[in-house]
């Protein structure tokens, strides 16, 4: 967990220094911090695999607004996957990073601060399971709602379905079979860098 927060701090410091020289640009970086419930859709899983029955995980990073509707996020991820189907069981510590493209459908809902949100990403996860380390590539597809709480603060609730391109649970019965995951995430974005407009 300490390594996770060290990476977040380094990213935050880097973006802070860049923003000093780029305050007049179109994009406004926002610090991102979130938590959620993660459930592996693999060969080894429990009978109950609902969104609220997953294991808590965290993500943090930066979000850049490319246009009024489109944004790019760079995120660090930290979570755990586990499962027990009676014949096999596993527990994997997972950390990694990823890029996400988000699209907010705000032009359809001009009279409200709540807007639908779609996202597509690419993640590289480091998986540690019983002394074994492996890397896993996943492609998460998400949808949810975004609330513009203030001019600087946004709050997202999203559901993600990640298609896996690698083996995560390392099942002995289904070796090298790709595993994905699903998650329910709660995320805040806060603009620390854009200066206040002068009256």
């Amino acid at each position: 967990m300490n390594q996770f927060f060290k990476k977040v701090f380094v990213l935050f410091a880097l973006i802070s220094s860049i923003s000093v020289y780029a305050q007049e640009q179109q994009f406004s970086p926002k610090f991102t911090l979130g938590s959620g419930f993660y459930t592996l859709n693999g060969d080894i899983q429990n009978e109950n695999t609902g969104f609220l029955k997953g294991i808590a995980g965290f993500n943090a990073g930066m979000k850049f607004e490319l246009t009024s509707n489109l944004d790019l996020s760079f995120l660090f991820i930290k979570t755990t996957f586990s499962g027990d189907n009676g014949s096999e069981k596993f527990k994997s510590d997972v950390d990694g990073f990823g890029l996400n493209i988000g699209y907010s459908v705000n032009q359809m809902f001009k009279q409200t601060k709540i807007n639908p949100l779609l996202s597509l990403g690419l993640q590289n996860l480091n998986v540690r399971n019983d002394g074994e380390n492996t890397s896993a590539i996943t492609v998460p597809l998400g949808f949810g709602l975004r609330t513009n709480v203030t001019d600087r603060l946004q709050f997202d609730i999203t559901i993600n379905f990640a298609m896996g391109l690698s083996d995560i649970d390392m099942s002995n019965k289904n070796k090298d079979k790709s595993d994905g995951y699903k998650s329910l995430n709660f995320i805040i974005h806060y603009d620390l860098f854009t200066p206040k407009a002068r009256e």
Side-chain angles (χ1 to χ4, degrees):
M1 181 63 72
N2 290 336
Q3 291 296 324
F4 173 74
F5 285 110
K6 286 180 181 178
K7 292 177 182 177
V8 172
F9 176 77
V10 170
L11 177 64
F12 179 76
L14 178 62
I15 298 301
S16 298
S17 62
I18 293 174
S19 68
V20 172
Y21 301 98
Q23 289 180 351
E24 301 299 327
Q25 299 300 316
Q26 172 73 22
F27 63 90
S28 56
K30 288 182 172 64
F31 180 67
T32 295
L33 182 63
S35 181
F37 299 98
Y38 293 78
T39 303
L40 187 70
N41 295 325
D43 307 300
I44 307 173
Q45 56 182 315
N46 304 326
E47 294 182 359
N48 299 321
T49 57
F51 282 103
L52 294 176
K53 297 180 180 179
I55 298 176
F58 305 92
N59 60 74
M62 299 299 299
K63 179 172 77 73
F64 303 91
E65 293 182 358
L66 305 179
T67 68
S68 60
N69 302 89
L70 193 66
D71 58 70
L72 174 67
S73 297
F74 183 85
L75 297 173
F76 291 107
I77 303 156
K78 177 73 174 179
T79 189
T80 300
F81 293 127
S82 67
D84 186 350
N85 60 12
S87 59
E88 289 186 289
K89 63 180 179 180
F90 83 102
K91 184 175 182 180
S92 297
D93 294 321
V94 178
D95 61 77
F97 61 90
L99 289 173
N100 277 61
I101 292 288
Y103 182 77
S104 178
V105 195
N106 53 20
Q107 72 271 19
M108 296 176 58
F109 300 90
K110 295 182 179 179
Q111 303 302 320
T112 180
K113 291 186 177 182
I114 301 176
N115 303 301
L117 178 66
L118 303 174
S119 66
L120 178 65
L122 182 65
Q123 298 173 336
N124 180 33
L125 304 179
N126 180 37
V127 182
R128 297 177 300 280
N129 184 8
D130 294 329
E132 296 183 54
N133 287 359
T134 186
S135 292
I137 302 296
T138 60
V139 181
L141 174 65
F143 61 92
L145 295 174
R146 170 169 292 168
T147 302
N148 295 309
V149 181
T150 68
D151 291 339
R152 291 181 178 269
L153 180 64
Q154 294 175 329
F155 177 68
D156 296 349
I157 299 177
T158 61
I159 293 174
N160 295 282
F161 297 93
M163 178 180 65
L165 305 179
S166 308
D167 188 10
I168 295 177
D169 61 16
M170 303 180 192
S171 170
N172 292 321
K173 294 184 177 180
N174 297 282
K175 291 186 177 181
D176 300 324
K177 184 178 178 181
S178 297
D179 303 314
Y181 72 85
K182 59 186 177 183
S183 65
L184 173 64
N185 294 91
F186 306 91
I187 303 171
I188 59 171
H189 311 282
Y190 189 73
D191 185 353
L192 295 173
F193 309 107
T194 304
K196 293 182 179 180
R198 296 180 179 178
E199 296 182 0

